[in-house]
Amino acid sequence: MTGTSQQTRTQRGALIVVEGLDRAGKSSQCEMLQTYLKEQGHSVKYIRFPDRTTPIGKLIDSYLRGSANQEDHAIHLLFSANRWEIAKSIEEDINSGITVIVDRYSYSGAVYSAAKANPTLSLEWAWQPELGLPRPDICLFLSISAEEAAKRGGYGAERYENETMQTRVRELFRTLFERQKDVYVVDAGKTLTEVSKDIQNAVLNCLACLDTIGSLRKLGPLAK
Ligand code: FDM
Ligand code: MG
């Protein structure tokens, strides 16, 4: 068997993004999905954005904690740069057969910045630096109502964790997902187990389609 034919037999990993508002259960579901996929025999990595460990990530961390201020466009570009600095390693992992689960991605990036209602920071503007990043094979959006979110306890102490921002973010996610494909909405108001079952089914369908999708794609512009 030649090297080439062997390569075509190794299926690439999938890029799975999990998005949602604060307290939608993203981190718990990412953990559960990771465990499930490993049990199924997949190689899996779980990462999250922002990645607060890099030099750029440390600037973002101090901004989110409120110990530093940044101009709206500048911090937006830092969040994007934090994805670009990790994009290559995501691509390499996927090409070597590892499935990568990502907790928040470009969608949070565009939506949280646009939610600031800065007149020169529209959703379109915010999406631009994301063009060309690895495109998720599936984006799972964990959807919870404002009422359910309120039931799950108070907001944390970080920037953006307040009613006004969360309401705008919820609306902007809806707008964005009308203009970006590959989004699978999960009703995250159900129990942990029910939600994880829904996620598993969606992911299994996605994995079954990888051959049809072909190689990892790149994020493109928003639909009109
Ligand atoms: N956030 C996250 C952004 O504003 N832009 C981004 O690109 C990303 C990835 O950072 F409020 C916001 C969303 C959230 C905060 O995320 C930190 P976690 O997942 O709550 O730690
Ligand atoms: Mg948070």
Side-chain angles (χ1 to χ4, degrees):
M1 186 183 289
T2 67
T4 322
S5 59
Q6 213 159 16
Q7 253 173 13
T8 51
R9 289 167 68 100
T10 317
Q11 200 185 34
R12 73 166 171 94
L15 180 56
I16 302 168
V17 165
V18 179
E19 281 283 7
L21 283 111
D22 292 276
R23 285 159 312 146
K26 291 184 296 300
S27 305
S28 315
Q29 290 300 338
C30 285
E31 298 277 3
M32 289 164 84
L33 180 60
Q34 183 185 25
T35 307
Y36 171 76
L37 289 174
K38 281 184 176 166
E39 282 166 6
Q40 301 288 306
H42 295 275
S43 313
V44 190
K45 265 192 195 169
Y46 166 31
I47 61 171
R48 58 183 308 158
F49 287 113
D51 175 348
R52 304 188 193 214
T53 64
T54 70
I56 293 170
K58 291 196 171 103
L59 292 173
I60 294 172
D61 182 61
S62 51
Y63 172 79
L64 287 172
R65 288 171 188 275
S67 58
N69 282 323
Q70 294 271 357
E71 195 278 332
D72 292 343
H73 304 78
I75 188 67
H76 178 73
L77 294 171
L78 288 175
F79 273 111
S80 183
N82 186 231
R83 281 182 281 282
W84 278 105
E85 65 180 342
I86 288 148
K88 193 154 185 274
S89 81
I90 294 179
E91 268 169 27
E92 285 167 359
D93 283 339
I94 292 211
N95 290 332
S96 68
I98 301 170
T99 283
V100 183
I101 302 171
V102 187
D103 188 336
R104 291 198 193 273
Y105 197 57
S106 306
Y107 313 94
S108 279
V111 158
Y112 278 79
S113 289
K116 292 173 173 174
N118 181 314
T120 57
L121 210 174
S122 63
L123 195 62
E124 285 74 17
W125 192 95
W127 188 253
Q128 291 305 306
E130 307 304 311
L131 296 180
L133 279 171
R135 170 172 157 189
D137 294 300
I138 186 170
C139 170
L140 300 150
F141 180 67
L142 272 50
S143 171
I144 46 163
S145 64
E147 296 74 36
E148 180 60 28
K151 268 194 242 160
R152 293 186 181 185
Y155 294 110
E158 288 206 331
R159 210 183 281 262
Y160 306 151
E161 295 181 330
N162 61 73
E163 201 79 51
T164 315
M165 268 300 280
Q166 300 288 319
T167 306
R168 287 191 191 143
V169 163
R170 170 178 287 107
E171 281 162 14
L172 281 162
F173 265 130
R174 199 176 305 140
T175 309
L176 180 64
F177 290 148
E178 280 162 11
R179 301 177 64 182
Q180 270 294 303
K181 297 212 177 69
D182 311 320
V183 180
Y184 184 90
V185 180
V186 178
D187 176 1
K190 300 199 247 176
T191 67
L192 266 187
T193 319
E194 286 170 332
V195 175
S196 77
K197 270 270 156 235
D198 287 353
I199 290 178
Q200 285 166 15
N201 289 334
V203 167
L204 290 181
N205 282 336
C206 167
L207 294 177
C209 289
L210 277 191
D211 276 345
T212 321
I213 295 175
S215 31
L216 188 64
R217 297 160 298 178
K218 293 186 186 311
L219 279 180
L222 297 179
K224 291 277 177 237

